[in-house]
Amino acid sequence: MRRTVVTFILLMLVIALLPSSSAQFVSFTTNDEITLLRGDYSSGTLMLMNAGNFDLKVASYRGFRVRDSNGNEVPGFNLTVSSTVLSDWKSHKVLSLSYNISCSLNVTPGNYTLYLFFLAVTSDNSMYLAHAEVPLHVIVKALEFEDADTYVRERPGSSYVLNGETIVVFSHVHNVGHSNITVEATTSFFKGSRIYFFENKTLTMKPGDNLIRFEIPVGYDLPEGTYRLEYRVEYGDGGYRYSREIPVRFGVKLVGFSLQSDEVRLGEKNRAYLTLLSERNVGLNLTVETYRNERIISNITTPVAVNGGTDVIEAELPTNAPGNLTAVIKLTFDGRLIGIGNVSYRVNAPPVIRNVTYERVSDTEVLFKIVIENPNCGEVQGEFGYRIAADGNVLYKDSLQSRLTPGANEVSLKFELPAGKVVEYEFTLSAMGETSTSKGELYLQPPAPPTTTATTTTTTALNMTTTSSGTSRGLWAGLVIVVFLLLAAGAFYYTREGGGPRKRTRPRPKRRSPLGRFKRPKEPEFKENRELPKKR
């Protein structure tokens, strides 16, 4: 080894004494580059290839130079290599050379070229001057930031996030220096001026590769829409910023409504069908608010389970109220509206006999008033019938077609009924396949027979009797005589007592004749209702 070194030194001295025109040149090539932080150092390995068409017995490293793009030498660099002698270097063979390079703080950041110089000797002792050119980048920032990225933790690859899922944002940071660097990393998730998530971290970037990672939970309180995610990493010499818009969805969408029947009978079942597209399994609340004439008549909420994919939910509709109804159907999650729609349908109810009253309008006539209620919004055709019986015998029986308007309809019927007997009545209404019946009994009290009484008035002084059978002239004459006698008796009594004052006594009431009070009863009249059927 010592002999080889001595020989190489002698060769160097010989080459130095030779004229430059006798020197031969060869180049070593490399694909490597060196990045150097100003004020720091960088070490690594260069892979050099012998680009000559001949083999080299030995190649000795002689020194380096750093030049800028204009070819000017730049001072402030120091380079050491692990091996200064490379032996048995065949043509196009690649050998490695370990290095350590540093620069001072006064070196201007930029792109330079590092030149490595070698003296090479072939097997036939031919000498060559060789060099290698290595790109050298001097930087002032110690951290290199790779592009950040985001994904949905539960569904990687999705371009949107569902409520209840988590967004992950991350990036790799490379510290090219050889000392730790402190950074501030923040992330936020917002829409408009409202921030829904914010987190800040103080992290230490060690030499080499570092990973920064945040997890952003997307709560169920976030409404659907497009949000913005911002991610920042900052330190003294610079920083990195990443921003992305991310849609937020609930994952359940109401896509259609259908109705089992748009017209049903009172109490008949009716349903609405809701078609959903769902990306998740979740429990929802189904609310059915039913209105008639803009007034709410029913409000029912029931829990429902929604499965992933296409799902159909049945909603029971109330049919216990007649008329045109509108049902507003809502799907909610914890008070949050997921979907809403409405359906309209008609509930038909048969008319009914609501009330029956009667009134005795004469000794033998009774007026019935029947109230029929039509709860529907339009006219209804029906058949109204009646049956009147007494002592098991049918007195009246018939039916007629009726057109019933919405609301209350009143029917008046007058019958001549026997007095002193129990009368049974029955009214029926048949409409819309239903029959309504009202039954009852009544009893007509027979009228009291007319009576004639005679009253007799007798006066002893005249020995005269007046009865109710006398004429009106005799009655008046008797009254005049009685009055005259009373006046004469009064005058006689007054003169006998001397005309002085006397104690006042209450006169006895006179008995009146009933002739002025008695009224002979009229003959009974029977009114015929030509609209009614004849008596059977």
Side-chain angles (χ1 to χ4, degrees), residues 10 36 68 76 90 103 148 156 161 236 301 307 361 380 394 425 510 520:
L10 293 175
L36 177 62
D68 60 16
K90 298 186 179 298
C103 72
V161 62
T301 300
N307 300 317
V361 296
V380 175
V394 177
Y425 62 87
K510 297 180 180 180
R520 184 178 298 275

Side-chain angles (χ1 to χ4, degrees), residues 16-58:
L17 296 175
L18 292 176
S20 58
S21 59
S22 61
Q24 302 180 75
F25 299 93
V26 67
S27 63
F28 301 151
T29 61
T30 182
N31 294 326
D32 296 329
E33 296 181 359
I34 297 175
T35 299
L36 177 62
L37 178 66
R38 184 177 65 174
D40 203 347
Y41 70 92
S42 176
S43 59
T45 301
L46 294 175
M47 305 305 294
L48 301 177
M49 184 183 71
N50 178 8
N53 295 324
F54 46 84
D55 299 337
L56 298 177
K57 181 178 180 180
V58 65

Side-chain angles (χ1 to χ4, degrees), residues 405-517:
T405 59
N409 297 259
E410 184 177 280
V411 178
S412 297
L413 297 174
K414 185 163 58 174
F415 298 98
E416 184 177 348
L417 303 177
K421 294 183 179 181
V422 176
V423 178
E424 299 175 351
Y425 62 87
E426 178 180 355
F427 299 100
T428 59
L429 176 66
S430 298
M432 300 177 62
E434 299 287 340
T435 299
S436 176
T437 303
S438 178
K439 299 179 180 181
E441 295 179 346
L442 63 87
Y443 178 79
L444 295 182
Q445 186 72 29
T451 58
T452 303
T453 60
T455 303
T456 303
T457 303
T458 306
T459 56
T460 305
L462 297 177
N463 197 16
M464 175 181 176
T465 301
T466 303
T467 65
S468 61
S469 59
T471 63
S472 60
R473 180 179 299 177
L475 177 61
W476 283 106
L479 290 175
V480 171
I481 294 173
V482 171
V483 172
F484 177 80
L485 292 176
L486 290 175
L487 291 175
F492 173 77
Y493 180 80
Y494 183 80
T495 55
R496 191 181 64 173
E497 294 293 330
R502 53 176 292 185
K503 185 177 180 181
R504 184 177 179 182
T505 60
R506 182 178 180 182
R508 297 179 62 184
K510 297 180 180 180
R511 183 169 182 174
R512 293 186 176 180
S513 172
L515 297 178
R517 293 187 294 112

Side-chain angles (χ1 to χ4, degrees), residues 169-186:
V169 56
F170 69 97
S171 71
H172 287 271
V173 180
H174 186 69
N175 183 357
V176 298
H178 295 83
S179 59
N180 294 338
I181 298 176
T182 301
V183 299
E184 294 289 331
T186 61

Side-chain angles (χ1 to χ4, degrees), residues 203-339:
L203 304 172
T204 299
M205 300 291 102
K206 297 180 179 180
D209 184 65
N210 298 268
L211 175 65
I212 301 178
R213 184 175 185 269
F214 286 92
E215 290 189 355
I216 304 172
V218 180
Y220 285 98
D221 58 325
L222 272 68
E224 290 189 331
T226 301
Y227 293 74
R228 179 169 290 277
L229 182 149
E230 282 199 355
Y231 166 77
R232 296 174 180 267
V233 181
E234 297 178 345
Y235 72 112
D237 291 332
Y240 173 79
R241 178 179 178 272
Y242 170 81
S243 179
R244 177 186 173 183
E245 289 187 345
I246 301 179
V248 174
R249 302 177 184 175
F250 183 76
V252 179
K253 187 176 182 181
L254 178 62
V255 296
F257 270 94
S258 61
L259 186 62
Q260 177 180 344
S261 178
D262 56 2
E263 188 169 352
V264 295
R265 296 175 61 181
L266 187 70
E268 185 180 0
K269 287 188 176 297
N270 199 17
R271 296 181 179 88
Y273 300 94
L274 289 69
T275 303
L276 307 176
L277 293 179
S278 177
E279 300 182 65
R280 65 199 313 167
N281 298 332
V282 66
L284 302 178
N285 287 327
L286 176 66
T287 300
V288 179
E289 294 180 354
T290 308
Y291 295 84
R292 181 178 64 181
N293 299 328
E294 299 182 354
R295 296 184 61 183
I296 188 168
I297 61 173
S298 175
N299 188 342
I300 301 175
T301 300
T302 55
V304 295
V306 178
N307 300 317
T310 302
D311 205 354
V312 177
I313 296 177
E314 294 183 1
E316 295 287 342
L317 302 177
T319 59
N320 57 346
N324 291 323
L325 306 183
T326 298
V328 179
I329 304 175
K330 303 176 184 178
L331 279 173
T332 58
F333 177 86
D334 195 22
R336 172 181 176 176
L337 182 63
I338 305 303

Side-chain angles (χ1 to χ4, degrees), residues 94-112:
V94 176
L95 297 180
S96 61
L97 179 67
S98 298
Y99 69 91
N100 184 297
I101 186 171
S102 62
C103 72
S104 61
L105 288 173
N106 59 0
V107 175
T108 302
N111 296 323
Y112 300 93

